[in-house]
Amino acid sequence: MLYKDQELKIYNSISGEKEHFQPINEGHIGMYVCGPTVYSNVHLGNVRTFMSFDMIFRYFKHLGFKVRFVRNITDAGHLENDADEGEDRIAKKARLEQIEPMEVVQMYTVDFHNILSAFNFLAPSIEPTATGHIIEQIEIIKEILDKGLAYEVNGSVYFDVLKYNESYHYGKLSGRNIEDLIHNTRALDGQSDKKNPQDFALWKKAEPQHIMRWPSPWSDGFPGWHLECTAMSTKYLGETFDIHGGGMDLKFPHHECEIAQAEACNDKSPVNFWMHANMLIMNGKKMAKSTGNYILPNEIFSGDNPHISKAFSASVARFFMLQAHYRSILDFTNAGLLASEKGYFKLMEAINSLDELSHSDKTDGFDVAAWRLNCYDAMNDDFNSPILIAELFAAVKFINQLKDHKASVSKPDLDTLKQTMRAFTFDVLGLENEGVKQDSGNKLSEAVEILINLRADARANKDFELSDKIRDELAAVGIQLKDGKDGTTFSTN
Ligand code: AMP
Ligand code: ZN
């Protein structure tokens, strides 16, 4: 197994340091990443965070780890302003669109999956939903109440942050200090049932008009947003697991509250490594749905957005994003995308010429073995994809020299070069080979042309049975023939 030769370092948000990564069970990794709240289309910022973890998942798999990667779908409990007040995001959308909340959930879950597969994401191992785990959430609330770290008021249950902080440390992840929090949070306005403004909801009693409600010992209501991730991560990965990830903006309060809930229940730290992906920004501000400062993936693919001059493929956008380290802020610009497009095609051209290269007795002009190790070193240093990409371009330069007969490569080195280039580009970075895609598109056209000509011959011979068979069987695989005055054309669906 490759992972046995590698010393992997991961930046742990909770210690603020890169630490040697050792999974709890050798060869196995449990990783949980907070998924989307499915009340609107995912924007490119959301895609960036999920892509960082897709790359990380891919690298673990490449190293030979068996990874259980859990990424949830938030389909209840996430209120408008990430706090305990306001309308449920999904219920609000349902009200505005006059459809059922579960129709909203279905629509945007499908959108999320379509967008992720357009960007060539691997599917997670488990994709659980909040509404599918109400019972587990209720059980956790009971345990926290039993421990005396939560209280019930008027059918709602709140986590008692001050009480918890007497024995544990609220703020250990975000670095926030409880005194400052008390100082800086608005005093309760008399409308809230909470004892202290820092407390957060574990269960909320539903107002009569609230449609998303479930029975519980306390009221007909719904779980607090932070609780679902504690319930689903514990259920599928255990009381302590290896990695928990999400966007930087989830560190507080979401992840801080997850730690508090899990520690209150199990009296141990739920996660060994906390990983936070940094934000995609545009015009100097965080890309966000709420401010209108966002771009949708489909607008990238169509070019239909004032921020960009043309359409870009998903692979180019993926390459653009992975050229930044996952913990760095990335500024979305048209110029950046244009530069990435050039780089991407240069990389693909070099990879597509690998099979044409011939070897000699010895290698001259490049140290293939050292270069391969550099690729691993880059990824082992907290998944440094920009350094990895720089290494891939060092190899591109060598490949181009080989093509120009200005360097030479031995048979074993050429094999290593091919295998390493492909593994990192396709398996780890998850780029797709558009050169090949175009090529297979051309081959498809040529094959269909042959069938169109055979059908024309059949018709000329009055063999309508055969001509119809060709048309129908092509239609059955999604290729429609259209007879026009200039001959027959085809379209695919
Ligand atoms: P949400 O559906 O709002 O919970 O967001 C889903 C994920 O996208 C979370 O992990 C967020 O941290 C992440 N996210 C939201 N906005 C951005 C952004 N501008 N750049 C990167 N990640 C983001
Ligand atoms: Zn979460």
Side-chain angles (χ1 to χ4, degrees):
M1 280 301 151
L2 262 171
Y3 68 78
K4 296 203 168 151
D5 318 327
Q6 310 287 329
E7 134 106 78
L8 181 56
K9 286 202 159 161
I10 299 182
Y11 181 88
N12 193 346
S13 300
I14 204 158
S15 66
E17 280 171 17
K18 282 185 202 168
E19 293 174 17
H20 171 66
F21 176 72
Q22 184 71 47
I24 296 165
N25 300 311
E26 206 209 291
H28 294 258
I29 294 175
M31 174 160 88
Y32 185 91
V33 171
C34 294
T37 305
V38 280
Y39 72 106
S40 67
N41 302 97
V42 277
H43 57 68
L44 205 64
N46 304 131
V47 172
R48 183 184 181 207
T49 284
F50 297 126
M51 189 182 290
S52 299
F53 290 103
D54 180 62
M55 181 246 322
I56 289 164
F57 178 39
R58 284 169 170 276
Y59 186 56
F60 285 146
K61 285 171 72 102
H62 171 75
L63 291 180
F65 284 107
K66 281 206 152 52
V67 192
R68 182 178 296 165
F69 172 28
V70 183
R71 190 184 61 215
N72 71 298
I73 296 278
T74 296
D75 58 353
H78 195 172
L79 304 187
E80 263 176 298
N81 35 24
D82 287 357
D84 292 334
E85 311 303 328
E87 208 173 344
D88 179 293
R89 294 183 186 204
I90 287 156
K92 180 178 180 186
K93 182 80 173 180
R95 179 173 60 76
L96 294 174
E97 303 274 324
Q98 298 194 315
I99 53 178
E100 281 292 311
M102 277 302 139
E103 288 182 274
V104 173
V105 165
Q106 179 67 18
M107 196 154 93
Y108 294 111
T109 302
V110 168
D111 172 73
F112 176 65
H113 288 150
N114 287 344
I115 295 299
L116 264 47
S117 51
F119 281 104
N120 199 30
F121 277 58
L122 297 180
S125 330
I126 305 179
E127 196 173 47
T129 62
T131 57
H133 297 76
I134 302 286
I135 293 170
E136 288 83 348
Q137 296 183 70
I138 291 175
E139 290 306 309
I140 294 178
I141 301 174
K142 284 186 195 161
E143 274 186 58
I144 302 177
L145 279 167
D146 283 349
K147 302 267 166 70
L149 294 174
Y151 55 92
E152 184 198 342
V153 189
N154 294 331
S156 293
V157 182
Y158 294 97
F159 190 94
D160 192 337
V161 170
L162 292 186
K163 186 88 183 291
Y164 162 81
N165 197 54
E166 287 169 12
S167 324
Y168 302 90
H169 174 189
Y170 187 77
K172 64 164 71 152
L173 174 66
S174 58
R176 298 196 192 200
N177 168 315
I178 191 97
E179 277 76 35
D180 293 346
L181 283 173
I182 293 170
H183 213 71
N184 296 334
T185 20
R186 271 182 297 128
L188 293 173
D189 54 11
Q191 308 244 329
S192 175
D193 293 329
K194 292 181 191 177
K195 285 205 264 187
N196 294 296
Q198 296 73 39
D199 296 347
F200 57 90
L202 297 173
W203 187 262
K204 289 268 285 183
K205 180 181 174 174
E207 299 298 327
Q209 72 275 16
H210 197 104
I211 328 172
M212 301 173 76
R213 59 204 299 141
W214 292 266
S216 81
W218 314 286
S219 62
D220 269 11
F222 55 94
W225 172 40
H226 314 305
L227 192 57
E228 58 173 277
C229 290
T230 300
M232 296 184 272
S233 59
T234 316
K235 173 156 180 160
Y236 299 111
L237 299 171
E239 291 178 0
T240 300
F241 54 93
D242 297 301
I243 296 174
H244 192 314
M248 206 76 108
D249 54 346
L250 296 185
K251 228 187 211 184
F252 187 88
H254 187 55
H255 293 159
E256 198 71 65
C257 295
E258 274 189 50
I259 294 178
Q261 293 165 156
E263 286 187 338
C265 269
N266 305 319
D267 198 26
K268 57 180 154 193
S269 180
V271 171
N272 284 350
F273 281 77
W274 281 95
M275 295 184 70
H276 289 99
N278 217 327
M279 298 289 111
L280 183 66
I281 62 169
M282 192 163 73
N283 297 323
K285 283 183 305 235
K286 179 186 159 187
M287 199 174 272
K289 207 71 202 232
S290 54
T291 55
N293 185 46
Y294 66 87
I295 183 162
L296 296 176
N298 282 331
E299 295 169 342
I300 305 275
F301 307 152
S302 67
D304 186 15
N305 184 290
H307 289 105
I308 46 176
S309 58
K310 61 184 278 298
F312 294 94
S313 70
S315 273
V316 168
R318 189 171 173 113
F319 189 61
F320 166 73
M321 296 208 257
L322 295 178
Q323 273 178 303
H325 186 252
Y326 78 92
R327 282 192 294 115
S328 307
I329 287 179
L330 172 62
D331 195 4
F332 177 88
T333 61
N334 189 56
L337 275 173
L338 287 169
S340 293
E341 186 170 55
K342 264 199 178 151
Y344 167 79
F345 281 111
K346 195 170 161 193
L347 178 62
M348 288 307 131
E349 200 184 311
I351 290 185
N352 290 334
S353 65
L354 280 170
D355 283 336
E356 294 153 24
L357 298 177
S358 42
H359 59 84
S360 346
D361 325 334
K362 66 178 181 61
T363 302
D364 199 14
F366 197 61
D367 186 341
V368 176
W371 164 78
R372 177 177 175 275
L373 289 179
N374 290 345
C375 292
Y376 282 98
D377 285 348
M379 287 304 281
N380 291 341
D381 183 14
D382 194 30
F383 311 98
N384 203 322
S385 57
I387 304 249
L388 168 67
I389 290 171
E391 290 296 339
L392 297 181
F393 277 104
V396 167
K397 190 170 163 205
F398 177 56
I399 293 168
N400 290 337
Q401 286 170 345
L402 290 172
K403 283 203 273 188
D404 293 344
H405 305 288
K406 289 186 177 138
S408 64
V409 68
S410 69
K411 171 86 171 70
D413 277 349
L414 181 57
D415 289 344
T416 303
L417 180 70
K418 285 182 184 176
Q419 188 271 337
T420 309
M421 275 303 264
R422 289 176 178 144
F424 278 102
T425 306
F426 303 126
D427 303 347
V428 176
L429 294 177
L431 297 172
E432 286 184 295
N433 195 335
E434 278 180 16
V436 168
K437 239 196 206 169
Q438 255 166 21
D439 234 37
S440 58
N442 292 343
K443 291 217 172 80
L444 174 72
S445 303
E446 282 165 24
V448 176
E449 282 309 321
I450 294 173
L451 288 165
I452 287 175
N453 291 339
L454 283 174
R455 178 168 166 261
D457 291 348
R459 289 214 299 190
N461 295 333
K462 304 223 175 321
D463 185 352
F464 297 113
E465 199 179 326
L466 178 61
S467 72
D468 288 351
K469 188 172 153 76
I470 292 174
R471 185 197 58 210
D472 295 346
E473 291 194 2
L474 282 173
V477 295
I479 297 170
Q480 270 78 37
L481 298 187
K482 274 183 240 131
D483 295 317
K485 59 179 181 338
D486 299 327
T488 303
T489 55
F490 78 95
S491 61
T492 54
N493 53 22

